[in-house]
PDB file of all heavy atoms in Angstrom:
ATOM      1  N   ASN I   1       0.805  -1.220   0.000  1.00  0.00           N
ATOM      2  CA  ASN I   1       0.000   0.000   0.000  1.00  0.00           C
ATOM      3  C   ASN I   1       0.838   1.270   0.000  1.00  0.00           C
ATOM      4  O   ASN I   1       0.293   2.375  -0.029  1.00  0.00           O
ATOM      5  CB  ASN I   1      -0.949   0.007   1.198  1.00  0.00           C
ATOM      6  CG  ASN I   1      -2.066  -1.006   1.030  1.00  0.00           C
ATOM      7  OD1 ASN I   1      -2.508  -1.265  -0.082  1.00  0.00           O
ATOM      8  ND2 ASN I   1      -2.513  -1.589   2.125  1.00  0.00           N
ATOM      9  N   THR I   2       2.156   1.148   0.051  1.00  0.00           N
ATOM     10  CA  THR I   2       3.041   2.307   0.080  1.00  0.00           C
ATOM     11  C   THR I   2       3.875   2.433  -1.183  1.00  0.00           C
ATOM     12  O   THR I   2       4.013   3.525  -1.741  1.00  0.00           O
ATOM     13  CB  THR I   2       3.987   2.237   1.299  1.00  0.00           C
ATOM     14  OG1 THR I   2       3.207   2.181   2.497  1.00  0.00           O
ATOM     15  CG2 THR I   2       4.910   3.450   1.359  1.00  0.00           C
ATOM     16  N   TYR I   3       4.416   1.320  -1.661  1.00  0.00           N
ATOM     17  CA  TYR I   3       5.415   1.360  -2.737  1.00  0.00           C
ATOM     18  C   TYR I   3       4.881   0.845  -4.069  1.00  0.00           C
ATOM     19  O   TYR I   3       4.158  -0.166  -4.129  1.00  0.00           O
ATOM     20  CB  TYR I   3       6.643   0.548  -2.337  1.00  0.00           C
ATOM     21  CG  TYR I   3       7.326   1.074  -1.105  1.00  0.00           C
ATOM     22  CD1 TYR I   3       7.145   0.454   0.136  1.00  0.00           C
ATOM     23  CD2 TYR I   3       8.151   2.199  -1.165  1.00  0.00           C
ATOM     24  CE1 TYR I   3       7.764   0.936   1.279  1.00  0.00           C
ATOM     25  CE2 TYR I   3       8.777   2.681  -0.028  1.00  0.00           C
ATOM     26  CZ  TYR I   3       8.581   2.054   1.189  1.00  0.00           C
ATOM     27  OH  TYR I   3       9.190   2.537   2.310  1.00  0.00           O
ATOM     28  N   LEU I   4       5.305   1.540  -5.123  1.00  0.00           N
ATOM     29  CA  LEU I   4       4.907   1.202  -6.476  1.00  0.00           C
ATOM     30  C   LEU I   4       6.076   1.539  -7.405  1.00  0.00           C
ATOM     31  O   LEU I   4       6.741   2.560  -7.222  1.00  0.00           O
ATOM     32  CB  LEU I   4       3.662   2.026  -6.828  1.00  0.00           C
ATOM     33  CG  LEU I   4       3.060   2.023  -8.222  1.00  0.00           C
ATOM     34  CD1 LEU I   4       1.565   2.340  -8.112  1.00  0.00           C
ATOM     35  CD2 LEU I   4       3.727   3.042  -9.124  1.00  0.00           C
ATOM     36  N   THR I   5       6.358   0.665  -8.374  1.00  0.00           N
ATOM     37  CA  THR I   5       7.426   0.937  -9.337  1.00  0.00           C
ATOM     38  C   THR I   5       6.862   0.942 -10.755  1.00  0.00           C
ATOM     39  O   THR I   5       5.893   0.237 -11.060  1.00  0.00           O
ATOM     40  CB  THR I   5       8.566  -0.095  -9.253  1.00  0.00           C
ATOM     41  OG1 THR I   5       8.020  -1.433  -9.309  1.00  0.00           O
ATOM     42  CG2 THR I   5       9.362   0.075  -7.965  1.00  0.00           C
ATOM     43  N   ALA I   6       7.476   1.770 -11.612  1.00  0.00           N
ATOM     44  CA  ALA I   6       7.023   1.903 -12.995  1.00  0.00           C
ATOM     45  C   ALA I   6       8.195   1.668 -13.944  1.00  0.00           C
ATOM     46  O   ALA I   6       9.318   2.109 -13.679  1.00  0.00           O
ATOM     47  CB  ALA I   6       6.423   3.289 -13.225  1.00  0.00           C
ATOM     48  N   TYR I   7       7.919   0.980 -15.065  1.00  0.00           N
ATOM     49  CA  TYR I   7       8.927   0.591 -16.049  1.00  0.00           C
ATOM     50  C   TYR I   7       8.437   1.047 -17.425  1.00  0.00           C
ATOM     51  O   TYR I   7       7.477   0.475 -17.962  1.00  0.00           O
ATOM     52  CB  TYR I   7       9.134  -0.927 -16.029  1.00  0.00           C
ATOM     53  CG  TYR I   7       9.304  -1.512 -14.634  1.00  0.00           C
ATOM     54  CD1 TYR I   7       8.203  -1.638 -13.769  1.00  0.00           C
ATOM     55  CD2 TYR I   7      10.543  -1.946 -14.169  1.00  0.00           C
ATOM     56  CE1 TYR I   7       8.348  -2.168 -12.494  1.00  0.00           C
ATOM     57  CE2 TYR I   7      10.701  -2.473 -12.897  1.00  0.00           C
ATOM     58  CZ  TYR I   7       9.595  -2.577 -12.064  1.00  0.00           C
ATOM     59  OH  TYR I   7       9.730  -3.104 -10.793  1.00  0.00           O
ATOM     60  N   ALA I   8       9.085   2.069 -18.015  1.00  0.00           N
ATOM     61  CA  ALA I   8       8.557   2.707 -19.224  1.00  0.00           C
ATOM     62  C   ALA I   8       9.421   2.489 -20.461  1.00  0.00           C
ATOM     63  O   ALA I   8      10.584   2.099 -20.365  1.00  0.00           O
ATOM     64  CB  ALA I   8       8.391   4.204 -18.977  1.00  0.00           C
ATOM     65  N   HIS I   9       8.815   2.769 -21.632  1.00  0.00           N
ATOM     66  CA  HIS I   9       9.443   2.756 -22.961  1.00  0.00           C
ATOM     67  C   HIS I   9       9.757   1.348 -23.475  1.00  0.00           C
ATOM     68  O   HIS I   9      10.617   1.182 -24.344  1.00  0.00           O
ATOM     69  CB  HIS I   9      10.732   3.595 -22.974  1.00  0.00           C
ATOM     70  CG  HIS I   9      10.545   4.994 -22.493  1.00  0.00           C
ATOM     71  ND1 HIS I   9       9.540   5.817 -22.963  1.00  0.00           N
ATOM     72  CD2 HIS I   9      11.225   5.729 -21.562  1.00  0.00           C
ATOM     73  CE1 HIS I   9       9.608   6.989 -22.363  1.00  0.00           C
ATOM     74  NE2 HIS I   9      10.617   6.972 -21.505  1.00  0.00           N
ATOM     75  N   ASN I  10       9.106   0.338 -22.966  1.00  0.00           N
ATOM     76  CA  ASN I  10       9.396  -1.039 -23.373  1.00  0.00           C
ATOM     77  C   ASN I  10       8.980  -1.304 -24.822  1.00  0.00           C
ATOM     78  O   ASN I  10       8.037  -0.693 -25.336  1.00  0.00           O
ATOM     79  CB  ASN I  10       8.657  -2.019 -22.447  1.00  0.00           C
ATOM     80  CG  ASN I  10       9.031  -1.802 -20.998  1.00  0.00           C
ATOM     81  OD1 ASN I  10      10.142  -2.100 -20.573  1.00  0.00           O
ATOM     82  ND2 ASN I  10       8.093  -1.271 -20.227  1.00  0.00           N
ATOM     83  N   SER I  11       9.665  -2.242 -25.446  1.00  0.00           N
ATOM     84  CA  SER I  11       9.286  -2.657 -26.792  1.00  0.00           C
ATOM     85  C   SER I  11       8.231  -3.765 -26.738  1.00  0.00           C
ATOM     86  O   SER I  11       7.417  -3.903 -27.650  1.00  0.00           O
ATOM     87  CB  SER I  11      10.512  -3.159 -27.569  1.00  0.00           C
ATOM     88  OG  SER I  11      11.085  -4.302 -26.931  1.00  0.00           O
ATOM     89  N   LYS I  12       8.245  -4.518 -25.650  1.00  0.00           N
ATOM     90  CA  LYS I  12       7.314  -5.638 -25.500  1.00  0.00           C
ATOM     91  C   LYS I  12       6.983  -5.849 -24.029  1.00  0.00           C
ATOM     92  O   LYS I  12       7.873  -5.809 -23.180  1.00  0.00           O
ATOM     93  CB  LYS I  12       7.943  -6.916 -26.086  1.00  0.00           C
ATOM     94  CG  LYS I  12       7.027  -8.127 -26.098  1.00  0.00           C
ATOM     95  CD  LYS I  12       7.725  -9.314 -26.755  1.00  0.00           C
ATOM     96  CE  LYS I  12       6.820 -10.536 -26.820  1.00  0.00           C
ATOM     97  NZ  LYS I  12       7.523 -11.692 -27.445  1.00  0.00           N
ATOM     98  N   LEU I  13       5.699  -6.062 -23.743  1.00  0.00           N
ATOM     99  CA  LEU I  13       5.263  -6.335 -22.376  1.00  0.00           C
ATOM    100  C   LEU I  13       5.009  -7.831 -22.225  1.00  0.00           C
ATOM    101  O   LEU I  13       4.350  -8.441 -23.074  1.00  0.00           O
ATOM    102  CB  LEU I  13       3.985  -5.549 -22.056  1.00  0.00           C
ATOM    103  CG  LEU I  13       4.053  -4.020 -22.252  1.00  0.00           C
ATOM    104  CD1 LEU I  13       2.733  -3.373 -21.857  1.00  0.00           C
ATOM    105  CD2 LEU I  13       5.209  -3.429 -21.469  1.00  0.00           C
ATOM    106  N   LEU I  14       5.524  -8.403 -21.156  1.00  0.00           N
ATOM    107  CA  LEU I  14       5.409  -9.849 -20.940  1.00  0.00           C
ATOM    108  C   LEU I  14       4.456 -10.205 -19.808  1.00  0.00           C
ATOM    109  O   LEU I  14       4.298 -11.374 -19.485  1.00  0.00           O
ATOM    110  CB  LEU I  14       6.803 -10.430 -20.646  1.00  0.00           C
ATOM    111  CG  LEU I  14       7.869 -10.149 -21.710  1.00  0.00           C
ATOM    112  CD1 LEU I  14       9.216 -10.727 -21.281  1.00  0.00           C
ATOM    113  CD2 LEU I  14       7.450 -10.710 -23.069  1.00  0.00           C
ATOM    114  N   VAL I  15       3.825  -9.211 -19.209  1.00  0.00           N
ATOM    115  CA  VAL I  15       2.873  -9.444 -18.128  1.00  0.00           C
ATOM    116  C   VAL I  15       1.608  -8.648 -18.421  1.00  0.00           C
ATOM    117  O   VAL I  15       1.596  -7.754 -19.261  1.00  0.00           O
ATOM    118  CB  VAL I  15       3.452  -9.028 -16.759  1.00  0.00           C
ATOM    119  CG1 VAL I  15       4.596  -9.935 -16.360  1.00  0.00           C
ATOM    120  CG2 VAL I  15       3.910  -7.567 -16.779  1.00  0.00           C
ATOM    121  N   LYS I  16       0.555  -8.971 -17.681  1.00  0.00           N
ATOM    122  CA  LYS I  16      -0.711  -8.259 -17.834  1.00  0.00           C
ATOM    123  C   LYS I  16      -1.240  -7.873 -16.458  1.00  0.00           C
ATOM    124  O   LYS I  16      -0.752  -8.353 -15.426  1.00  0.00           O
ATOM    125  CB  LYS I  16      -1.728  -9.133 -18.572  1.00  0.00           C
ATOM    126  CG  LYS I  16      -2.090 -10.417 -17.861  1.00  0.00           C
ATOM    127  CD  LYS I  16      -3.033 -11.261 -18.695  1.00  0.00           C
ATOM    128  CE  LYS I  16      -3.490 -12.523 -17.966  1.00  0.00           C
ATOM    129  NZ  LYS I  16      -2.367 -13.407 -17.605  1.00  0.00           N
ATOM    130  N   GLU I  17      -2.223  -7.000 -16.449  1.00  0.00           N
ATOM    131  CA  GLU I  17      -2.799  -6.541 -15.189  1.00  0.00           C
ATOM    132  C   GLU I  17      -3.328  -7.726 -14.376  1.00  0.00           C
ATOM    133  O   GLU I  17      -3.963  -8.629 -14.904  1.00  0.00           O
ATOM    134  CB  GLU I  17      -3.937  -5.558 -15.461  1.00  0.00           C
ATOM    135  CG  GLU I  17      -3.472  -4.229 -16.028  1.00  0.00           C
ATOM    136  CD  GLU I  17      -4.623  -3.271 -16.259  1.00  0.00           C
ATOM    137  OE1 GLU I  17      -5.680  -3.452 -15.628  1.00  0.00           O
ATOM    138  OE2 GLU I  17      -4.471  -2.348 -17.075  1.00  0.00           O
ATOM    139  N   GLY I  18      -3.012  -7.705 -13.087  1.00  0.00           N
ATOM    140  CA  GLY I  18      -3.466  -8.765 -12.196  1.00  0.00           C
ATOM    141  C   GLY I  18      -2.426  -9.842 -11.941  1.00  0.00           C
ATOM    142  O   GLY I  18      -2.565 -10.628 -11.004  1.00  0.00           O
ATOM    143  N   ASP I  19      -1.359  -9.868 -12.770  1.00  0.00           N
ATOM    144  CA  ASP I  19      -0.318 -10.880 -12.584  1.00  0.00           C
ATOM    145  C   ASP I  19       0.503 -10.590 -11.327  1.00  0.00           C
ATOM    146  O   ASP I  19       0.812  -9.436 -11.021  1.00  0.00           O
ATOM    147  CB  ASP I  19       0.636 -10.905 -13.784  1.00  0.00           C
ATOM    148  CG  ASP I  19       0.020 -11.551 -15.016  1.00  0.00           C
ATOM    149  OD1 ASP I  19      -1.091 -12.096 -14.895  1.00  0.00           O
ATOM    150  OD2 ASP I  19       0.643 -11.486 -16.091  1.00  0.00           O
ATOM    151  N   SER I  20       0.859 -11.651 -10.603  1.00  0.00           N
ATOM    152  CA  SER I  20       1.810 -11.532  -9.498  1.00  0.00           C
ATOM    153  C   SER I  20       3.202 -11.785 -10.051  1.00  0.00           C
ATOM    154  O   SER I  20       3.398 -12.706 -10.857  1.00  0.00           O
ATOM    155  CB  SER I  20       1.487 -12.544  -8.397  1.00  0.00           C
ATOM    156  OG  SER I  20       0.241 -12.239  -7.787  1.00  0.00           O
ATOM    157  N   VAL I  21       4.157 -10.963  -9.660  1.00  0.00           N
ATOM    158  CA  VAL I  21       5.518 -11.112 -10.168  1.00  0.00           C
ATOM    159  C   VAL I  21       6.487 -11.227  -9.000  1.00  0.00           C
ATOM    160  O   VAL I  21       6.219 -10.754  -7.895  1.00  0.00           O
ATOM    161  CB  VAL I  21       5.923  -9.922 -11.064  1.00  0.00           C
ATOM    162  CG1 VAL I  21       5.054  -9.871 -12.306  1.00  0.00           C
ATOM    163  CG2 VAL I  21       5.824  -8.606 -10.310  1.00  0.00           C
ATOM    164  N   ARG I  22       7.621 -11.862  -9.285  1.00  0.00           N
ATOM    165  CA  ARG I  22       8.658 -12.050  -8.273  1.00  0.00           C
ATOM    166  C   ARG I  22       9.845 -11.144  -8.563  1.00  0.00           C
ATOM    167  O   ARG I  22      10.066 -10.730  -9.711  1.00  0.00           O
ATOM    168  CB  ARG I  22       9.125 -13.514  -8.258  1.00  0.00           C
ATOM    169  CG  ARG I  22       8.011 -14.530  -8.079  1.00  0.00           C
ATOM    170  CD  ARG I  22       7.354 -14.448  -6.732  1.00  0.00           C
ATOM    171  NE  ARG I  22       8.273 -14.773  -5.650  1.00  0.00           N
ATOM    172  CZ  ARG I  22       7.929 -14.788  -4.364  1.00  0.00           C
ATOM    173  NH1 ARG I  22       6.703 -14.455  -4.005  1.00  0.00           N
ATOM    174  NH2 ARG I  22       8.808 -15.096  -3.433  1.00  0.00           N
ATOM    175  N   LYS I  23      10.571 -10.824  -7.555  1.00  0.00           N
ATOM    176  CA  LYS I  23      11.754  -9.989  -7.702  1.00  0.00           C
ATOM    177  C   LYS I  23      12.724 -10.643  -8.688  1.00  0.00           C
ATOM    178  O   LYS I  23      13.052 -11.824  -8.564  1.00  0.00           O
ATOM    179  CB  LYS I  23      12.419  -9.821  -6.339  1.00  0.00           C
ATOM    180  CG  LYS I  23      13.589  -8.865  -6.304  1.00  0.00           C
ATOM    181  CD  LYS I  23      14.061  -8.689  -4.869  1.00  0.00           C
ATOM    182  CE  LYS I  23      15.142  -7.633  -4.741  1.00  0.00           C
ATOM    183  NZ  LYS I  23      15.540  -7.405  -3.329  1.00  0.00           N
ATOM    184  N   GLY I  24      13.174  -9.896  -9.689  1.00  0.00           N
ATOM    185  CA  GLY I  24      14.086 -10.419 -10.693  1.00  0.00           C
ATOM    186  C   GLY I  24      13.402 -11.082 -11.870  1.00  0.00           C
ATOM    187  O   GLY I  24      14.077 -11.486 -12.825  1.00  0.00           O
ATOM    188  N   GLN I  25      12.074 -11.177 -11.859  1.00  0.00           N
ATOM    189  CA  GLN I  25      11.349 -11.793 -12.967  1.00  0.00           C
ATOM    190  C   GLN I  25      11.331 -10.862 -14.175  1.00  0.00           C
ATOM    191  O   GLN I  25      11.155  -9.651 -14.049  1.00  0.00           O
ATOM    192  CB  GLN I  25       9.908 -12.110 -12.539  1.00  0.00           C
ATOM    193  CG  GLN I  25       9.035 -12.700 -13.644  1.00  0.00           C
ATOM    194  CD  GLN I  25       7.617 -12.965 -13.173  1.00  0.00           C
ATOM    195  OE1 GLN I  25       7.369 -13.186 -11.977  1.00  0.00           O
ATOM    196  NE2 GLN I  25       6.661 -12.944 -14.092  1.00  0.00           N
ATOM    197  N   LYS I  26      11.516 -11.437 -15.369  1.00  0.00           N
ATOM    198  CA  LYS I  26      11.456 -10.652 -16.592  1.00  0.00           C
ATOM    199  C   LYS I  26      10.011 -10.276 -16.880  1.00  0.00           C
ATOM    200  O   LYS I  26       9.149 -11.134 -17.034  1.00  0.00           O
ATOM    201  CB  LYS I  26      12.041 -11.441 -17.763  1.00  0.00           C
ATOM    202  CG  LYS I  26      12.108 -10.657 -19.070  1.00  0.00           C
ATOM    203  CD  LYS I  26      12.746 -11.485 -20.176  1.00  0.00           C
ATOM    204  CE  LYS I  26      12.781 -10.729 -21.501  1.00  0.00           C
ATOM    205  NZ  LYS I  26      13.389 -11.537 -22.596  1.00  0.00           N
ATOM    206  N   ILE I  27       9.735  -8.969 -16.926  1.00  0.00           N
ATOM    207  CA  ILE I  27       8.367  -8.504 -17.121  1.00  0.00           C
ATOM    208  C   ILE I  27       8.181  -7.770 -18.452  1.00  0.00           C
ATOM    209  O   ILE I  27       7.053  -7.532 -18.875  1.00  0.00           O
ATOM    210  CB  ILE I  27       7.927  -7.587 -15.967  1.00  0.00           C
ATOM    211  CG1 ILE I  27       8.865  -6.389 -15.838  1.00  0.00           C
ATOM    212  CG2 ILE I  27       7.869  -8.366 -14.655  1.00  0.00           C
ATOM    213  CD1 ILE I  27       8.419  -5.359 -14.800  1.00  0.00           C
ATOM    214  N   ALA I  28       9.301  -7.410 -19.085  1.00  0.00           N
ATOM    215  CA  ALA I  28       9.212  -6.686 -20.356  1.00  0.00           C
ATOM    216  C   ALA I  28      10.554  -6.742 -21.063  1.00  0.00           C
ATOM    217  O   ALA I  28      11.537  -7.266 -20.526  1.00  0.00           O
ATOM    218  CB  ALA I  28       8.798  -5.232 -20.112  1.00  0.00           C
ATOM    219  N   GLU I  29      10.567  -6.192 -22.277  1.00  0.00           N
ATOM    220  CA  GLU I  29      11.817  -6.061 -23.027  1.00  0.00           C
ATOM    221  C   GLU I  29      12.044  -4.582 -23.332  1.00  0.00           C
ATOM    222  O   GLU I  29      11.107  -3.860 -23.689  1.00  0.00           O
ATOM    223  CB  GLU I  29      11.746  -6.872 -24.322  1.00  0.00           C
ATOM    224  CG  GLU I  29      11.703  -8.373 -24.082  1.00  0.00           C
ATOM    225  CD  GLU I  29      11.654  -9.178 -25.366  1.00  0.00           C
ATOM    226  OE1 GLU I  29      11.612  -8.555 -26.464  1.00  0.00           O
ATOM    227  OE2 GLU I  29      11.663 -10.420 -25.290  1.00  0.00           O
ATOM    228  N   MET I  30      13.278  -4.152 -23.154  1.00  0.00           N
ATOM    229  CA  MET I  30      13.611  -2.744 -23.325  1.00  0.00           C
ATOM    230  C   MET I  30      13.298  -2.277 -24.744  1.00  0.00           C
ATOM    231  O   MET I  30      13.383  -3.041 -25.700  1.00  0.00           O
ATOM    232  CB  MET I  30      15.089  -2.511 -23.012  1.00  0.00           C
ATOM    233  CG  MET I  30      15.480  -1.054 -22.892  1.00  0.00           C
ATOM    234  SD  MET I  30      17.234  -0.809 -22.450  1.00  0.00           S
ATOM    235  CE  MET I  30      17.268  -1.454 -20.778  1.00  0.00           C
ATOM    236  N   GLY I  31      12.918  -1.001 -24.844  1.00  0.00           N
ATOM    237  CA  GLY I  31      12.593  -0.456 -26.151  1.00  0.00           C
ATOM    238  C   GLY I  31      12.765   1.049 -26.195  1.00  0.00           C
ATOM    239  O   GLY I  31      13.406   1.644 -25.323  1.00  0.00           O
ATOM    240  N   ASP I  32      12.180   1.657 -27.223  1.00  0.00           N
ATOM    241  CA  ASP I  32      12.279   3.101 -27.397  1.00  0.00           C
ATOM    242  C   ASP I  32      10.922   3.718 -27.699  1.00  0.00           C
ATOM    243  O   ASP I  32      10.829   4.740 -28.387  1.00  0.00           O
ATOM    244  CB  ASP I  32      13.276   3.449 -28.496  1.00  0.00           C
ATOM    245  CG  ASP I  32      12.943   2.770 -29.822  1.00  0.00           C
ATOM    246  OD1 ASP I  32      11.899   2.078 -29.900  1.00  0.00           O
ATOM    247  OD2 ASP I  32      13.711   2.932 -30.783  1.00  0.00           O
ATOM    248  N   THR I  33       9.836   3.114 -27.197  1.00  0.00           N
ATOM    249  CA  THR I  33       8.505   3.661 -27.428  1.00  0.00           C
ATOM    250  C   THR I  33       8.342   4.976 -26.680  1.00  0.00           C
ATOM    251  O   THR I  33       8.633   5.082 -25.495  1.00  0.00           O
ATOM    252  CB  THR I  33       7.412   2.669 -26.987  1.00  0.00           C
ATOM    253  OG1 THR I  33       7.619   2.288 -25.619  1.00  0.00           O
ATOM    254  CG2 THR I  33       7.448   1.411 -27.841  1.00  0.00           C
ATOM    255  N   ASP I  34       7.889   5.981 -27.394  1.00  0.00           N
ATOM    256  CA  ASP I  34       7.651   7.321 -26.839  1.00  0.00           C
ATOM    257  C   ASP I  34       8.933   7.985 -26.337  1.00  0.00           C
ATOM    258  O   ASP I  34       8.886   8.808 -25.416  1.00  0.00           O
ATOM    259  CB  ASP I  34       6.623   7.262 -25.706  1.00  0.00           C
ATOM    260  CG  ASP I  34       5.522   8.314 -25.895  1.00  0.00           C
ATOM    261  OD1 ASP I  34       5.643   9.129 -26.818  1.00  0.00           O
ATOM    262  OD2 ASP I  34       4.563   8.323 -25.112  1.00  0.00           O
ATOM    263  N   THR I  35      10.054   7.626 -26.918  1.00  0.00           N
ATOM    264  CA  THR I  35      11.323   8.266 -26.574  1.00  0.00           C
ATOM    265  C   THR I  35      12.241   8.175 -27.788  1.00  0.00           C
ATOM    266  O   THR I  35      11.890   7.548 -28.792  1.00  0.00           O
ATOM    267  CB  THR I  35      11.971   7.621 -25.336  1.00  0.00           C
ATOM    268  OG1 THR I  35      13.098   8.392 -24.925  1.00  0.00           O
ATOM    269  CG2 THR I  35      12.393   6.191 -25.602  1.00  0.00           C
ATOM    270  N   ASN I  36      13.426   8.773 -27.697  1.00  0.00           N
ATOM    271  CA  ASN I  36      14.285   8.868 -28.885  1.00  0.00           C
ATOM    272  C   ASN I  36      15.433   7.872 -28.920  1.00  0.00           C
ATOM    273  O   ASN I  36      16.227   7.873 -29.849  1.00  0.00           O
ATOM    274  CB  ASN I  36      14.847  10.287 -29.010  1.00  0.00           C
ATOM    275  CG  ASN I  36      15.555  10.744 -27.738  1.00  0.00           C
ATOM    276  OD1 ASN I  36      15.784   9.940 -26.834  1.00  0.00           O
ATOM    277  ND2 ASN I  36      15.896  12.014 -27.672  1.00  0.00           N
ATOM    278  N   ALA I  37      15.566   7.017 -27.895  1.00  0.00           N
ATOM    279  CA  ALA I  37      16.639   6.021 -27.862  1.00  0.00           C
ATOM    280  C   ALA I  37      16.238   4.883 -26.933  1.00  0.00           C
ATOM    281  O   ALA I  37      15.469   5.095 -25.984  1.00  0.00           O
ATOM    282  CB  ALA I  37      17.945   6.664 -27.388  1.00  0.00           C
ATOM    283  N   PRO I  38      16.745   3.676 -27.178  1.00  0.00           N
ATOM    284  CA  PRO I  38      16.396   2.551 -26.304  1.00  0.00           C
ATOM    285  C   PRO I  38      16.848   2.804 -24.868  1.00  0.00           C
ATOM    286  O   PRO I  38      18.013   3.122 -24.626  1.00  0.00           O
ATOM    287  CB  PRO I  38      17.159   1.372 -26.920  1.00  0.00           C
ATOM    288  CG  PRO I  38      17.399   1.774 -28.336  1.00  0.00           C
ATOM    289  CD  PRO I  38      17.594   3.258 -28.305  1.00  0.00           C
ATOM    290  N   LYS I  39      15.932   2.683 -23.945  1.00  0.00           N
ATOM    291  CA  LYS I  39      16.254   2.869 -22.530  1.00  0.00           C
ATOM    292  C   LYS I  39      15.088   2.411 -21.678  1.00  0.00           C
ATOM    293  O   LYS I  39      13.962   2.249 -22.168  1.00  0.00           O
ATOM    294  CB  LYS I  39      16.568   4.332 -22.223  1.00  0.00           C
ATOM    295  CG  LYS I  39      15.392   5.281 -22.408  1.00  0.00           C
ATOM    296  CD  LYS I  39      15.793   6.719 -22.101  1.00  0.00           C
ATOM    297  CE  LYS I  39      14.636   7.687 -22.332  1.00  0.00           C
ATOM    298  NZ  LYS I  39      15.028   9.098 -22.058  1.00  0.00           N
TER     299      LYS I  39
END
């Protein structure tokens, strides 16, 4: 209820709303959506 993290500009999303994820789990692939360089 306190902490939330956000991961932006991905090229591909590997999870969907409602999924439980573990620390270190791959949730997306880096990309350059809505930005000028991959990051």
Side-chain angles (χ1 to χ4, degrees):
N1 289 327
T2 301
Y3 299 102
L4 174 153
T5 51
Y7 313 74
H9 306 311
N10 303 289
S11 62
K12 185 177 182 181
L13 304 182
L14 304 178
V15 293
K16 62 184 184 300
E17 291 181 22
D19 286 353
S20 294
V21 296
R22 306 294 296 181
K23 186 174 186 176
Q25 177 181 333
K26 184 178 178 181
I27 58 174
E29 292 181 358
M30 192 178 293
D32 56 3
T33 55
D34 229 354
T35 188
N36 54 10
K39 65 181 178 181

